[in-house]
Amino acid sequence: MIAADVTAKHIVITGGASGIGAETARLLASRGAKVSIGDRNIELGQQVARELTELGYSAQFTVVDVTDVDSVNEFYRQAVNHFGDMHVALNNAGVDHNPARMLDVPDEEFHRNIAVNLTGVWYCMKQALHYMTQSGGGHIINLASIAGTSGAPMISAYGAAKHGVIGLTKSVAIEYARSNIRVNAVCPSFVKTPMVEHVMSGLNDKQKASLINANPMKRLGEPHEIAGAIAWLCSDESSFMTGHSVVLDGGLTA
Ligand code: NAI
């Protein structure tokens, strides 16, 4: 199979220090993309960028907190300054949710989820649109979740934020379809990343087994399986797709 071509595309990734973001940065860089990584975790972000540049790939890291509009604006300014016009903005930074029913969820948990998982995407989309309308087009890819396509008990704030991301994806896709700017979402189920390891660490063996066995494939997703789909989205092969949510869940919501 021929790999999706992302050669020389400048791809800006938030949350690129860990998990799905880091794996996607590795795959895209190895296929010739220029990768601007942003994350609030400076040490891990620098580590991923260094790993890629030492392999001879084009990558750079800038610290960003997606909940802070000034920090987001500066991150995009530096990315465009470094590698030139941005072709893809991958809005991937996110936080998890401590499992609980709504009455037991502190309001701070709701505000934290909305701030990172929804407002953060809003700020990043605005910056991406700002640069893409000037440069003649681009593709915004938002990391949502199957918790954004169907009800997900015990993580109500996370689900609310991810449903919001899909709403933003659809509305903005329609608004900018004539401007050569596409907007799509990616919706994984549980994928083996530090985020899910953290969630699993709060479960007993029986709960872990039932979480895994709920999936028709009887396993969690692997980060490279999400990265592969994102690479295809980043390529021109997905050119007629906009306003869509790509579900990668081993059949869980089939
Ligand atoms: P992860 O925890 O491995 O990576 C998330 C990254 O986002 C971390 O590097 C973290 O430092 C960064 N981040 C968090 N808050 C930030 C902020 N305010 N500003 C800048 N960076 C920030 O998580 P994972 O699993 O790779 O998740 C990536 C995305 O995929 C998230 O949006 C998540 O909600 C989504 N997702 C993950 C699933 C999974 O099972 N792992 C399933 C469905 C969606």
Side-chain angles (χ1 to χ4, degrees):
M1 199 177 79
I2 298 168
D5 186 7
V6 293
T7 314
K9 282 186 188 279
H10 178 199
I11 299 170
V12 179
I13 306 177
T14 64
S18 170
I20 293 168
E23 195 62 21
T24 305
R26 290 187 182 100
L27 181 66
L28 295 170
S30 74
R31 291 186 184 174
K34 297 173 281 186
V35 180
S36 289
I37 298 167
D39 204 288
R40 67 177 175 187
N41 188 326
I42 299 174
E43 199 186 328
L44 275 184
Q46 284 177 337
Q47 201 174 301
V48 175
R50 196 166 42 242
E51 170 196 325
L52 297 178
T53 50
E54 281 173 6
L55 287 165
Y57 304 147
S58 299
Q60 60 111 7
F61 171 77
T62 306
V63 65
V64 68
D65 177 353
V66 298
T67 67
D68 176 345
V69 69
D70 294 331
S71 171
V72 169
N73 295 354
E74 180 58 18
F75 166 60
Y76 277 94
R77 196 189 65 73
Q78 289 200 27
V80 171
N81 203 27
H82 194 93
F83 281 135
D85 287 346
M86 168 188 13
H87 303 101
V88 180
L90 178 60
N91 299 322
N92 161 82
V95 288
D96 61 10
H97 185 301
N98 293 315
R101 290 203 295 168
M102 186 175 177
L103 270 183
D104 301 318
V105 178
D107 292 341
E108 293 70 33
E109 176 84 305
F110 179 76
H111 294 310
R112 184 179 72 99
N113 256 274
I114 297 298
V116 181
N117 293 338
L118 182 55
T119 311
V121 172
W122 169 270
Y123 290 152
C124 290
M125 286 179 76
K126 264 200 161 173
Q127 278 298 293
L129 290 169
H130 169 75
Y131 287 105
M132 287 172 183
T133 47
Q134 288 177 11
S135 64
H139 190 177
I140 298 171
I141 303 171
N142 296 325
L143 252 292
S145 165
I146 55 162
T149 60
S150 33
M154 311 299 277
I155 50 170
S156 52
Y158 183 87
K162 295 298 188 181
H163 272 78
V165 169
I166 291 177
L168 273 179
T169 300
K170 290 179 181 176
S171 296
V172 179
I174 297 167
E175 287 172 2
Y176 288 86
R178 294 284 302 276
S179 307
N180 196 31
I181 298 172
R182 297 188 292 124
V183 191
N184 287 292
V186 175
C187 300
S189 59
F190 283 105
V191 178
K192 264 188 238 164
T193 68
M195 180 186 282
V196 161
E197 279 161 22
H198 177 245
V199 172
M200 299 279 267
S201 68
L203 305 179
N204 61 36
D205 286 350
K206 199 173 157 204
Q207 289 169 322
K208 280 182 201 163
S210 89
L211 187 147
I212 292 166
N213 288 328
N215 192 294
M217 290 193 182
K218 305 294 177 202
R219 67 175 178 86
L220 303 180
E222 297 287 343
H224 73 83
E225 294 177 300
I226 312 305
I230 294 173
W232 177 78
L233 284 173
C234 289
S235 79
D236 293 340
E237 288 172 28
S238 65
S239 56
F240 198 47
M241 180 189 283
T242 195
H244 190 64
S245 298
V246 178
V247 172
L248 303 159
D249 70 349
L252 184 60
T253 59

